[in-house]
Amino acid sequence: MIDVSTLDLPEFDPTDVTLHGERFHEVMAELAATSWIARAPLGYLTLDRAAGEFFLRSKSATFPGQLIAELSGVTDGPLREEIDHNILHLDGERHRRLRNLLNPFFTPRASDRWRPVMRELIENIYAGIAGAGRCDFVAAVAKPYPSQTIAAVMGAPLDDAPRLHEWSHWMQSQFDGVALLEHRGRIEEAVHDFYEWCDALIARRRSDPADDLISVLIAAEADGDRLDDGELRNLVLDVLAGGVDTTHAQLAHAARLFAGHPEQWALLAERPELAPRAVEEVLRHEPVTPITARVLTADVTYRDCSFPAGTLILVGSFTGNRDGAGDPAFDITTDRGNARLMTFGAGLHFCVGANLARAELEEALTFLAPRMPGLRLDGEPSFGTIAGIYGLDALPIAWDA
Ligand code: HEM
């Protein structure tokens, strides 16, 4: 057995701000061609699917949320309390109980129930830009659509969607050490304001229940016990933090990819039944979660290498998604066989909102493809960073209106 620290490995720095767009793809492809694992500043990065899934599924690994908080100096106070209770940071029985409460709301069938709402939302959003023939897709479509969807799913007024977007963005930043260090005050404020807003919504739903997430969670019971108000608002926060920035970023990348592949966009417009495949291809080709992380809670041996407890493992889904998936080119007609997607993670923390996200993306792309013929870039996309959620800050596009 070999101590992993003694291996001669290629280096990878996830905080390198030049890693985006084509350069990111090239660097990752080069790394994956050299090794199954790279050295990162605080740990290691897995590069193939099997290694990534091994660490994501390992019982001797946990999401390093508390570690990120410690390193960023968030050791006490309400934000630390929220971080300590976040579903992504819980394991074992506490995690199982919360997932059992959430899962029924997010099955494929339950998620499909929201498709008519999604269709109406994307239709209204498109109505605002239809005649223009050009827009910044991020500001005009990718940003409002997921927060409006999540407002509907939560049973909140549509007018609250911009606030939900803002809060979700800051709360999602708690998983990103650099953002936590730089914007702690702003994240803390978002958690505080969201809790206040959510408490009022919970009170309204207690007296006037409907079929939204909050009403369902109020009524739900797992193993004979119910959530108290503190647990409930925290769980709603988890859904908001996980469900807005992610879908927003993925939809923006989808539009960018199709703008660069007009023949695929025309094909989707012609054959809307390709939408599920188009969404899988977007999620595979440009995962907005290119890196997930784990910290080892015990010594682990894998592929004859020993990893001591406390080792930080970054799981690369970009290269993992391509492993065994055939031609890496973006193509919504290619059969990827059994090459599982890593964009939503793997194991017990596999994204609870994956079905909802897929439905959202399918509805948006199916609606827009026939209405935006000739989709093309109308300037350079402005890329975000790959640490945290890999999004776009702006995407100027044009089409034949
Ligand atoms: C394209 C969109 C999305 C992507 C790429 C994505 C990605 C992920 C990933 C990679 C994880 C697992 C993290 C880990 O194991 O380290 C995760 C977990 C999670 N996601 Fe998503 N997600 C998306 C949309 C959503 C939506 C729409 C919701 C809710 C409506 C959501 C809620 C959550 C929650 C609550 C967790 C934590 C699950 C747990 O700890 O058991 N996500 N997501």
Side-chain angles (χ1 to χ4, degrees), residues 174-185:
Q174 69 180 263
F175 306 117
D176 172 356
V178 178
L180 198 51
L181 209 55
E182 285 176 4
H183 305 293
R184 175 178 176 172

PDB file of all heavy atoms in Angstrom, residues 174-185:
ATOM      1  N   GLN A 174     -22.377  29.707   1.432  1.00  0.00           N
ATOM      2  CA  GLN A 174     -21.809  29.112   2.651  1.00  0.00           C
ATOM      3  C   GLN A 174     -20.983  27.859   2.355  1.00  0.00           C
ATOM      4  O   GLN A 174     -20.185  27.421   3.177  1.00  0.00           O
ATOM      5  CB  GLN A 174     -22.906  28.757   3.652  1.00  0.00           C
ATOM      6  CG  GLN A 174     -23.783  27.606   3.205  1.00  0.00           C
ATOM      7  CD  GLN A 174     -24.857  27.284   4.221  1.00  0.00           C
ATOM      8  OE1 GLN A 174     -24.693  26.397   5.025  1.00  0.00           O
ATOM      9  NE2 GLN A 174     -25.945  28.032   4.176  1.00  0.00           N
ATOM     10  N   PHE A 175     -21.225  27.244   1.167  1.00  0.00           N
ATOM     11  CA  PHE A 175     -20.477  26.030   0.815  1.00  0.00           C
ATOM     12  C   PHE A 175     -19.148  26.359   0.149  1.00  0.00           C
ATOM     13  O   PHE A 175     -18.386  25.467  -0.203  1.00  0.00           O
ATOM     14  CB  PHE A 175     -21.314  25.140  -0.125  1.00  0.00           C
ATOM     15  CG  PHE A 175     -22.673  24.816   0.417  1.00  0.00           C
ATOM     16  CD1 PHE A 175     -23.820  25.231  -0.225  1.00  0.00           C
ATOM     17  CD2 PHE A 175     -22.808  24.081   1.595  1.00  0.00           C
ATOM     18  CE1 PHE A 175     -25.078  24.947   0.283  1.00  0.00           C
ATOM     19  CE2 PHE A 175     -24.055  23.783   2.112  1.00  0.00           C
ATOM     20  CZ  PHE A 175     -25.193  24.226   1.459  1.00  0.00           C
ATOM     21  N   ASP A 176     -18.903  27.631  -0.077  1.00  0.00           N
ATOM     22  CA  ASP A 176     -17.713  28.070  -0.792  1.00  0.00           C
ATOM     23  C   ASP A 176     -16.835  28.875   0.177  1.00  0.00           C
ATOM     24  O   ASP A 176     -17.200  29.979   0.583  1.00  0.00           O
ATOM     25  CB  ASP A 176     -18.203  28.923  -1.987  1.00  0.00           C
ATOM     26  CG  ASP A 176     -17.069  29.628  -2.726  1.00  0.00           C
ATOM     27  OD1 ASP A 176     -15.913  29.522  -2.287  1.00  0.00           O
ATOM     28  OD2 ASP A 176     -17.373  30.290  -3.729  1.00  0.00           O
ATOM     29  N   GLY A 177     -15.691  28.270   0.576  1.00  0.00           N
ATOM     30  CA  GLY A 177     -14.830  28.865   1.601  1.00  0.00           C
ATOM     31  C   GLY A 177     -14.423  30.303   1.301  1.00  0.00           C
ATOM     32  O   GLY A 177     -14.450  31.156   2.187  1.00  0.00           O
ATOM     33  N   VAL A 178     -14.076  30.566   0.033  1.00  0.00           N
ATOM     34  CA  VAL A 178     -13.601  31.906  -0.321  1.00  0.00           C
ATOM     35  C   VAL A 178     -14.738  32.918  -0.111  1.00  0.00           C
ATOM     36  O   VAL A 178     -14.553  33.983   0.501  1.00  0.00           O
ATOM     37  CB  VAL A 178     -13.120  31.942  -1.796  1.00  0.00           C
ATOM     38  CG1 VAL A 178     -12.670  33.324  -2.178  1.00  0.00           C
ATOM     39  CG2 VAL A 178     -11.998  30.926  -2.005  1.00  0.00           C
ATOM     40  N   ALA A 179     -15.940  32.560  -0.589  1.00  0.00           N
ATOM     41  CA  ALA A 179     -17.092  33.468  -0.445  1.00  0.00           C
ATOM     42  C   ALA A 179     -17.428  33.663   1.035  1.00  0.00           C
ATOM     43  O   ALA A 179     -17.752  34.771   1.463  1.00  0.00           O
ATOM     44  CB  ALA A 179     -18.296  32.891  -1.190  1.00  0.00           C
ATOM     45  N   LEU A 180     -17.328  32.593   1.810  1.00  0.00           N
ATOM     46  CA  LEU A 180     -17.648  32.673   3.235  1.00  0.00           C
ATOM     47  C   LEU A 180     -16.701  33.630   3.945  1.00  0.00           C
ATOM     48  O   LEU A 180     -17.092  34.397   4.827  1.00  0.00           O
ATOM     49  CB  LEU A 180     -17.556  31.263   3.845  1.00  0.00           C
ATOM     50  CG  LEU A 180     -18.233  31.014   5.188  1.00  0.00           C
ATOM     51  CD1 LEU A 180     -19.677  31.475   5.190  1.00  0.00           C
ATOM     52  CD2 LEU A 180     -18.171  29.534   5.541  1.00  0.00           C
ATOM     53  N   LEU A 181     -15.455  33.578   3.526  1.00  0.00           N
ATOM     54  CA  LEU A 181     -14.439  34.448   4.123  1.00  0.00           C
ATOM     55  C   LEU A 181     -14.681  35.907   3.738  1.00  0.00           C
ATOM     56  O   LEU A 181     -14.601  36.814   4.567  1.00  0.00           O
ATOM     57  CB  LEU A 181     -13.075  33.994   3.595  1.00  0.00           C
ATOM     58  CG  LEU A 181     -11.837  34.185   4.456  1.00  0.00           C
ATOM     59  CD1 LEU A 181     -12.022  33.539   5.818  1.00  0.00           C
ATOM     60  CD2 LEU A 181     -10.625  33.553   3.754  1.00  0.00           C
ATOM     61  N   GLU A 182     -15.034  36.112   2.467  1.00  0.00           N
ATOM     62  CA  GLU A 182     -15.161  37.487   1.968  1.00  0.00           C
ATOM     63  C   GLU A 182     -16.508  38.131   2.279  1.00  0.00           C
ATOM     64  O   GLU A 182     -16.596  39.349   2.423  1.00  0.00           O
ATOM     65  CB  GLU A 182     -14.954  37.507   0.432  1.00  0.00           C
ATOM     66  CG  GLU A 182     -13.500  37.353   0.052  1.00  0.00           C
ATOM     67  CD  GLU A 182     -13.299  37.263  -1.453  1.00  0.00           C
ATOM     68  OE1 GLU A 182     -14.277  37.403  -2.215  1.00  0.00           O
ATOM     69  OE2 GLU A 182     -12.143  37.008  -1.852  1.00  0.00           O
ATOM     70  N   HIS A 183     -17.569  37.313   2.350  1.00  0.00           N
ATOM     71  CA  HIS A 183     -18.913  37.904   2.446  1.00  0.00           C
ATOM     72  C   HIS A 183     -19.699  37.385   3.644  1.00  0.00           C
ATOM     73  O   HIS A 183     -20.921  37.265   3.575  1.00  0.00           O
ATOM     74  CB  HIS A 183     -19.712  37.603   1.171  1.00  0.00           C
ATOM     75  CG  HIS A 183     -19.036  38.038  -0.086  1.00  0.00           C
ATOM     76  ND1 HIS A 183     -18.831  39.369  -0.388  1.00  0.00           N
ATOM     77  CD2 HIS A 183     -18.493  37.342  -1.100  1.00  0.00           C
ATOM     78  CE1 HIS A 183     -18.201  39.453  -1.550  1.00  0.00           C
ATOM     79  NE2 HIS A 183     -17.979  38.240  -1.992  1.00  0.00           N
ATOM     80  N   ARG A 184     -19.021  37.077   4.724  1.00  0.00           N
ATOM     81  CA  ARG A 184     -19.712  36.477   5.853  1.00  0.00           C
ATOM     82  C   ARG A 184     -20.918  37.315   6.315  1.00  0.00           C
ATOM     83  O   ARG A 184     -22.002  36.790   6.555  1.00  0.00           O
ATOM     84  CB  ARG A 184     -18.729  36.299   7.014  1.00  0.00           C
ATOM     85  CG  ARG A 184     -19.427  35.790   8.243  1.00  0.00           C
ATOM     86  CD  ARG A 184     -18.468  35.574   9.374  1.00  0.00           C
ATOM     87  NE  ARG A 184     -19.196  35.180  10.553  1.00  0.00           N
ATOM     88  CZ  ARG A 184     -18.620  34.773  11.655  1.00  0.00           C
ATOM     89  NH1 ARG A 184     -17.314  34.688  11.716  1.00  0.00           N
ATOM     90  NH2 ARG A 184     -19.344  34.432  12.694  1.00  0.00           N
ATOM     91  N   GLY A 185     -20.721  38.644   6.441  1.00  0.00           N
ATOM     92  CA  GLY A 185     -21.782  39.528   6.918  1.00  0.00           C
ATOM     93  C   GLY A 185     -23.014  39.445   6.038  1.00  0.00           C
ATOM     94  O   GLY A 185     -24.147  39.353   6.520  1.00  0.00           O
TER      95      GLY A 185
END
